[in-house]
Amino acid sequence: MEWWQFNGYGFYIWGSYLVAAAALAIESALLAARRARALRQLGDSIEADGAR
Amino acid sequence: MNWFKYSSPASFYPVAGKVYPWFFAAAMILFVVALYVGFAVAPTDAQQGESYRIMFVHVATATLSMFLYVVMALWCASSLVFNTRLSAMMAQAIAPTGAWFTFIALWTGALWGKPTWGTYWVWDARITSELILLFLYGGFLALTQAIEDPRRADRAGALLALVGVINVPIIYFSVRWWNTLHQGASITVSAAPKIAQPMLVALFAMMLAFWAYAIAAALRRVRCIIVERESGSDWLRALKRQGTL
């Protein structure tokens, strides 16, 4: 049996590690998106105040 | 050194920005070490076979899910006692990462349970109390986002977090207090570890990796929260105009 199949436990082991990696990747992507949104809103707010 | 200086969002924001990339880099290095030792060096377990390798990620995230909740509750207590804005922001920055770790712990626990116990889920005291922890994180996040006034949201969230902290010792001691299917701890402070050294190295490397990741994520998030909540402040606007935000 191949190494990556882990004696038939491959589904459970890879299922654990891939979901954990996906969760961390999603969290990092959401953080990047939140920061971009916050900076854009701050920029808009500064621009709006300058236009007044 | 006056540490209280860093309780101000204006002082903490640049420090967090300088520090978090180092924690993120440390997390990535430690993840690689943990995966290498856990998959290539650690031997097959005599009783559980290969499925025990799930433990490296499961134990690390389950431990941190509890610890992060306690840290979050401490920030909430600090927010209530000292009425500092940054304390409430830190609590809100930790909560999503704690919730993700709780989700990972439950998911990996289910995938370990199927080959070991024959079922993905059982209403065992440890697993049920960990599920309640996920609901507590979710409740804290929902409550703080549902209230429009940030200061009122901080206080309401802090109260919920402090009430919910009672669940953490319940999770930890559940395997002793009740006759559960979930196994007890293999590693304790008072006794020698019951697992082989490469397994121990992989587990500690994974725990440190998740620790470093959690700190980096919380610091990144608190910077977002500061930008969102302090958008009217002069210091933030000055940084934005200088392009150093």
Side-chain angles (χ1 to χ4, degrees), chain A residues 17 27 34-35 45 49, chain B residues 53 97 213 221 237 245:
Chain A
Y17 282 87
E27 187 185 19
R34 184 174 180 176
R35 177 162 173 79
S45 159
D49 287 351
Chain B
R53 292 183 205 277
T97 304
Y213 172 84
R221 190 173 290 108
R237 287 168 172 244
L245 205 57

Side-chain angles (χ1 to χ4, degrees), chain A residues 3 23-24 28 30 34 38 43-44 47 51:
Chain A
W3 167 82
L24 300 192
S28 294
L30 289 174
R34 184 174 180 176
D44 291 349
E47 240 177 61

Side-chain angles (χ1 to χ4, degrees), chain B residues 18 39 80 92-93 102 135 153 156 178 183 233:
Chain B
K18 278 183 194 145
F39 280 3
L80 285 177
Q92 285 169 33
T102 312
F135 294 155
W178 291 286
Q183 71 191 70
S233 62

Side-chain angles (χ1 to χ4, degrees), chain B residues 135-159:
Chain B
F135 294 155
L136 282 167
Y137 275 123
F140 175 84
L141 287 167
L143 185 63
T144 50
Q145 281 163 30
I147 300 172
E148 212 166 318
D149 176 11
R151 301 299 286 161
R152 281 185 60 219
D154 291 347
R155 282 195 294 275
L159 283 174

Side-chain angles (χ1 to χ4, degrees), chain B residues 162-245:
Chain B
L162 287 171
V163 170
V165 84
I166 191 70
N167 187 47
V168 174
I170 292 175
I171 299 171
Y172 186 77
F173 291 110
S174 58
V175 290
R176 292 193 212 168
W177 291 345
W178 291 286
N179 186 19
T180 64
L181 192 56
H182 197 285
Q183 71 191 70
S186 300
I187 304 162
T188 57
V189 179
S190 55
K194 296 172 192 166
I195 61 176
Q197 200 179 14
M199 297 177 185
L200 201 60
V201 170
L203 181 60
F204 275 111
M206 193 64 91
M207 286 188 86
L208 287 175
F210 275 108
W211 250 122
Y213 172 84
I215 294 169
L219 291 176
R220 278 181 79 187
R221 190 173 290 108
V222 82
R223 278 166 58 86
C224 294
I225 295 170
I226 289 171
V227 173
E228 288 162 1
R229 287 179 57 166
E230 304 278 311
S231 61
S233 62
D234 292 339
W235 70 268
L236 197 66
R237 287 168 172 244
L239 284 182
K240 175 72 177 162
R241 285 194 201 95
Q242 289 163 14
T244 51
L245 205 57

Side-chain angles (χ1 to χ4, degrees), chain A residues 3 6-7 9 11-17 19-32 34-43 45-46 49, chain B residues 13 31 35 39 50-51 53-54 56-57 97 100-101 103-104 107-108 111 114-115 120 206 210 213 217 220-221 223-225 227-228 231 236-237 240-241 245:
Chain A
W3 167 82
F6 288 111
N7 287 332
Y9 292 107
F11 168 76
Y12 305 105
I13 294 171
W14 290 120
S16 297
Y17 282 87
V19 167
L24 300 192
I26 291 168
E27 187 185 19
S28 294
L30 289 174
L31 270 171
R34 184 174 180 176
R35 177 162 173 79
R37 191 172 58 242
L39 290 179
R40 196 172 53 245
Q41 283 172 353
L42 178 65
S45 159
I46 292 171
D49 287 351
Chain B
Y13 184 88
F31 275 130
L35 289 172
F39 280 3
E50 300 289 350
S51 68
R53 292 183 205 277
I54 296 169
F56 300 132
V57 67
T97 304
W100 276 115
F101 283 10
F103 166 76
I104 296 170
W107 180 275
T108 53
L111 284 175
K114 182 65 178 170
Y120 286 108
M206 193 64 91
F210 275 108
Y213 172 84
R220 278 181 79 187
R221 190 173 290 108
R223 278 166 58 86
C224 294
I225 295 170
V227 173
E228 288 162 1
S231 61
L236 197 66
R237 287 168 172 244
K240 175 72 177 162
R241 285 194 201 95
L245 205 57

